[in-house]
Amino acid sequence: MHKRLERTDYPGECMPSLQIANLTFNYEPGKPVIDNLSVVINNGETWSIIGKNGSGKSTLIRCIARLEPVKRGAVFLDTKEILDYSSIEMARKCAYVPQATLRIPPSFTVLEYVLMGRYPYCGFPMRYGSDDRKIAAEAMELTDTVPFAHRSMRTLSGGELQRVFIAGAVAQRTAIMLLDEPVSFLDSMHQEMIHATLDRIHREYGTTLITVTHDINAALQRSTHVLALVAGKQVYAGATQGFLNDAASLLSTIYGITFEKIAGSSSGRAFFMPQKGEVVV
């Protein structure tokens, strides 16, 4: 059984809330990727962002992480606009884990990489103290990456590498974690390992998790809240239970195909699967 970790210098007791206010973003003039989106994410909630490819999901979390410039509308952390934070302050508030398939593994050992998550606190050049090493060790234990601590990241499988990227974000000790498709292109076992890792992070630290995903059923079973986008517009933003009350209809609107509800034979949980037939939009 996973050993409960002690909270070490973690700012969880005063976690920030996130507010997105009338956010519009476009790469090309007149073609918004995010279109007048507003949502409030409270401390400790877990959100899944769902929608078709090109609906603006990844762009949204890149705007939250301040990797894309917000020109219309605003994003607030702790009621303070993200543009008003320094880079170091922002890195202490919010960690971002991009799609692993878009990253070339660096030529560091796993331990070296996870320690780099302490950069908002160590200054440059980075000098790690005993607390930093303890926090990195906790992050690796929490993500089950201790067994390959001294391996080169370039020797890891996709699932192992994804857990290391998450460990680095955990070591950053932020109250909000943004994850862009953390289980894409992984087999079922490694998908479950990533989901279990994220569940542990939320359980141990109360981290607010905001995850872009194409796994509809995982989103509806594991997240407290859902944000659904169609062409950059929100069609649902709220508690997962509210979404489940009209899930088949909402999923049809979001994905343009008909869904049917299937009850799990042993768990009794509801699963939603596309029906064979014509596309509805």
Side-chain angles (χ1 to χ4, degrees), residues 178-193:
L178 308 170
L179 302 111
D180 193 356
E181 299 187 35
V183 299
S184 291
F185 305 107
L186 299 181
D187 61 51
S188 296
M189 182 191 75
H190 283 96
Q191 287 183 21
E192 181 57 30
M193 290 179 75

Side-chain angles (χ1 to χ4, degrees), residues 1-267:
M1 192 170 200
H2 194 275
K3 180 176 74 68
R4 182 172 180 83
L5 303 178
E6 297 295 327
R7 296 190 180 195
T8 305
D9 295 332
Y10 185 71
E13 288 70 18
C14 52
M15 293 188 293
S17 59
L18 172 69
Q19 180 180 2
I20 302 166
N22 305 116
L23 178 65
T24 296
F25 178 87
N26 55 273
Y27 294 105
E28 300 178 44
K31 297 181 180 180
V33 180
I34 304 295
D35 193 354
N36 197 36
L37 187 147
S38 295
V39 64
V40 174
I41 296 176
N42 294 313
N43 301 334
E45 293 175 343
T46 59
W47 283 71
S48 285
I49 305 176
I50 64 173
K52 292 192 292 188
N53 289 337
S55 61
K57 304 183 300 298
S58 295
T59 299
L60 175 59
I61 63 169
R62 286 180 59 82
C63 287
I64 297 170
R66 217 168 62 176
L67 297 172
E68 300 290 354
V70 175
K71 296 179 181 178
R72 291 179 58 189
V75 178
F76 298 89
L77 290 175
D78 271 346
T79 72
K80 180 177 176 180
E81 194 168 354
I82 59 173
L83 297 177
D84 295 332
Y85 286 103
S86 70
S87 296
I88 291 297
E89 288 173 333
M90 189 68 185
R92 292 178 178 180
K93 292 282 188 181
C94 189
Y96 170 65
V97 182
Q99 296 178 32
T101 54
L102 302 180
R103 305 174 73 174
I104 298 174
S107 57
F108 300 119
T109 67
V110 169
L111 177 58
E112 288 171 339
Y113 177 83
V114 175
L115 275 169
M116 288 180 183
R118 300 301 300 157
Y119 78 91
Y121 310 93
C122 294
F124 295 95
M126 288 189 287
R127 296 183 176 87
Y128 305 118
S130 59
D131 285 347
D132 299 309
R133 295 185 182 280
K134 181 178 180 182
I135 288 170
E138 289 178 354
M140 293 174 65
E141 183 178 356
L142 190 65
T143 54
D144 292 326
T145 53
V146 173
F148 33 91
H150 300 291
R151 283 175 55 184
S152 167
M153 293 182 67
R154 294 184 175 178
T155 69
L156 303 180
S157 70
E160 291 169 342
L161 193 61
Q162 186 65 69
R163 299 209 313 275
V164 172
F165 288 145
I166 294 172
V170 173
Q172 201 172 320
R173 279 299 192 264
T174 61
I176 294 177
M177 189 180 296
L178 308 170
L179 302 111
D180 193 356
E181 299 187 35
V183 299
S184 291
F185 305 107
L186 299 181
D187 61 51
S188 296
M189 182 191 75
H190 283 96
Q191 287 183 21
E192 181 57 30
M193 290 179 75
I194 296 298
H195 286 311
T197 295
L198 295 176
D199 288 346
R200 285 197 298 270
I201 292 167
H202 182 258
R203 183 173 63 250
E204 296 293 339
Y205 296 135
T207 309
T208 302
L209 301 176
I210 304 170
T211 306
V212 170
T213 183
H214 287 293
D215 190 334
I216 298 166
N217 289 301
L220 297 180
Q221 291 167 18
R222 293 180 178 270
S223 297
T224 63
H225 292 72
V226 174
L227 171 61
L229 300 178
V230 174
K233 294 179 180 291
Q234 67 187 59
V235 296
Y236 184 88
T240 303
Q241 186 56 55
F243 190 101
L244 286 168
N245 291 337
D246 194 26
S249 176
L250 283 166
L251 290 170
S252 177
T253 298
I254 295 162
Y255 293 99
I257 56 177
T258 303
F259 281 78
E260 61 181 338
K261 180 179 177 179
I262 301 172
S265 58
S266 59
S267 67

